[in-house]
Amino acid sequence: MNGTVNKVVLIGHLGDEIKMHYFDGGNCIGRFPLATNEVYINKSTGEKITSTEWHNIVVRNKAAEICEKYLSKGDKIYIEGRIKSRQWQAEDGTTKYTTEIQVTEFTFLTTKKDSEANSKQNDSNAISNSDKKTNFDHENSGNDDLPF
């Protein structure tokens, strides 16, 4: 095979809010940490061990704006992207290095905003269904000629 592949697939939770940076010309970039967990049992002690790996995620332009609008710390997301390493000179003259995941595709799996909306909707449905049940029971009380 002559070609190479640089593809990453992650499912994890946001470790912080999305930090946006806007450039001249209208482009923007969003950055956030993503935590993935591996859980295993230590065979010698029987202890359950959770190992967390942190990933530096980068989204660009419209994708960054969508993520900033809908995602918040703790939300679960599916990400596809590629690994990109870069270096720069810090103010003190030292060379800094980082490895990032540049997002090409993503899907929101759970968001707090959805959970809050569903919770409010479920509360109103429960009240509404309770009212309907009460009305139904009230309308049919004393009606003994039902076949069941």
Side-chain angles (χ1 to χ4, degrees):
M1 176 182 217
N2 292 335
T4 63
V5 176
N6 180 357
K7 183 168 184 165
V8 176
V9 175
L10 298 171
I11 295 176
H13 294 274
L14 272 73
D16 200 358
E17 302 300 322
I18 296 169
K19 307 288 191 261
M20 296 293 291
H21 182 78
Y22 295 90
F23 301 101
D24 294 339
N27 291 333
C28 63
I29 192 169
R31 297 176 186 277
F32 59 92
L34 186 79
T36 56
N37 297 316
E38 177 184 4
V39 179
Y40 61 93
I41 304 295
N42 182 326
K43 291 182 180 183
S44 61
T45 65
E47 181 184 4
K48 182 177 170 182
I49 307 291
T50 301
S51 173
T52 302
E53 185 71 34
W54 288 95
H55 312 274
N56 298 313
I57 306 299
V58 177
V59 286
R60 298 184 183 281
N61 301 319
K62 187 66 175 172
E65 292 171 352
I66 290 169
C67 287
E68 180 189 33
K69 182 175 180 179
Y70 294 105
L71 292 175
S72 56
K73 183 178 179 178
D75 290 345
K76 192 173 189 179
I77 187 172
Y78 167 91
I79 289 176
E80 288 184 25
R82 59 185 166 269
I83 297 173
K84 178 76 175 181
S85 297
R86 61 184 179 90
Q87 67 182 38
W88 71 98
Q89 293 294 320
E91 290 179 8
D92 63 3
T94 60
T95 302
K96 301 287 185 175
Y97 300 89
T98 190
T99 300
E100 301 168 327
I101 307 301
Q102 294 187 341
V103 175
T104 55
E105 294 184 37
F106 61 89
T107 301
F108 302 153
L109 299 178
T110 59
T111 63
K112 288 183 182 176
K113 293 172 185 167
D114 286 345
S115 298
E116 289 169 4
N118 286 342
S119 176
K120 289 178 185 175
Q121 184 178 12
N122 288 342
D123 289 347
S124 84
N125 284 346
I127 291 168
S128 177
N129 288 341
S130 173
D131 289 343
K132 289 177 186 172
K133 182 178 180 189
T134 302
N135 291 339
F136 178 76
D137 290 343
H138 177 69
E139 292 169 3
N140 291 317
S141 64
N143 188 354
D144 292 336
D145 44 313
L146 291 175
F148 49 92

